[in-house]
């Protein structure tokens, strides 16, 4: 006669404990992976924001250099509205400040890179502004404004303020540079800046 052994209750409890440990480990790994995905998404967003800012800084530097190079006609760079809104412009036949403004507007529109017939070489909803600094006649503020991805505080600059391209002020980003145009006496600049 064969005698069957009764299962050991301690062994059954041990098998259930291991199963619970495995389930908890899977749950911890799932939360860790979700955290990693969230961190990666934030890093990608931050990288894109940084890319747009660097693009804007290059554009501001470009126009600041153009104004400095043509300082005798610096007042011709003052534009009452936003630069870079609308379709690409034909700059043929223009010269001096008008050519610089036309080319700069096209750079803001993203003319440096085209994919599938769309200009993609610039920031989202980019615009430019050139104005005199408050209370001065020799300082020009060159600004580039664009739409950010993550809401932050609204910038104090008026460039692009109220433009329909920006859903909220918290998404409007601005970089600016002041260009000082010295008074020229003969061939020498007089230091006023």
């Amino acid at each position: 006669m064969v005698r069957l052994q009764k299962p050991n209750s301690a062994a059954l409890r041990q098998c259930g404990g291991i199963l619970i440990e495995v389930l908890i480990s899977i749950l911890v790994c799932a939360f860790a992976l979700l955290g990693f995905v969230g961190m990666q998404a934030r890093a990608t967003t931050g990288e894109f924001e940084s890319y747009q800012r660097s693009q804007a800084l290059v554009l501001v530097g470009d126009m600041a250099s153009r104004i400095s190079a043509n300082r005798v006609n610096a007042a011709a760079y003052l534009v009452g509205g936003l630069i870079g809104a609308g379709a690409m412009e034909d700059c043929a036949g223009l010269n001096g400040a008008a050519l610089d403004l036309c080319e700069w507007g096209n750079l803001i529109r993203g003319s440096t890179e085209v994919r599938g017939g769309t200009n993609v070489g610039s920031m989202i909803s980019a615009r430019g502004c050139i104005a005199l600094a408050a209370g001065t006649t020799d300082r020009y503020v060159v600004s580039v404004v664009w739409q950010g991805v993550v809401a932050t505080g609204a910038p104090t600059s008026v460039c692009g303020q109220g433009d329909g391209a920006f859903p909220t002020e918290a998404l409007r980003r601005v970089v600016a540079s002041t260009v000082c145009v010295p008074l020229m006496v003969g061939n020498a600049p007089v230091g006023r800046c």
Side-chain angles (χ1 to χ4, degrees), residues 94-166:
L94 300 175
N95 57 34
L99 176 62
D100 288 343
L101 289 168
C102 180
E103 289 175 346
W104 194 58
N106 286 341
L107 289 173
I108 289 172
R109 289 179 190 96
S111 66
T112 57
E113 187 174 347
V114 179
R115 285 193 190 145
T118 304
N119 296 325
V120 295
S122 189
M123 298 80 60
I124 300 171
S125 300
R127 308 282 189 268
C129 302
I130 303 172
L132 280 173
T136 68
T137 59
D138 60 348
R139 297 175 200 277
Y140 296 81
V141 178
V142 178
S143 305
V144 172
V145 61
W146 72 95
Q147 179 184 327
V149 179
V150 178
T152 61
T156 58
S157 173
V158 296
C159 183
Q161 200 171 40
D163 187 358
F166 310 108

Side-chain angles (χ1 to χ4, degrees), residues 1 11 18 20 22 25 27 35 37 41 44 72 84 88 99-100 103-104 112 114 117 119 124 136 155-156 169 184:
M1 164 186 246
I18 291 174
I20 290 174
V22 168
S25 297
L27 187 65
V37 168
T44 301
V72 174
M88 298 294 279
L99 176 62
D100 288 343
E103 289 175 346
W104 194 58
T112 57
V114 179
N119 296 325
I124 300 171
T136 68
T156 58
E169 284 296 301
M184 298 297 287

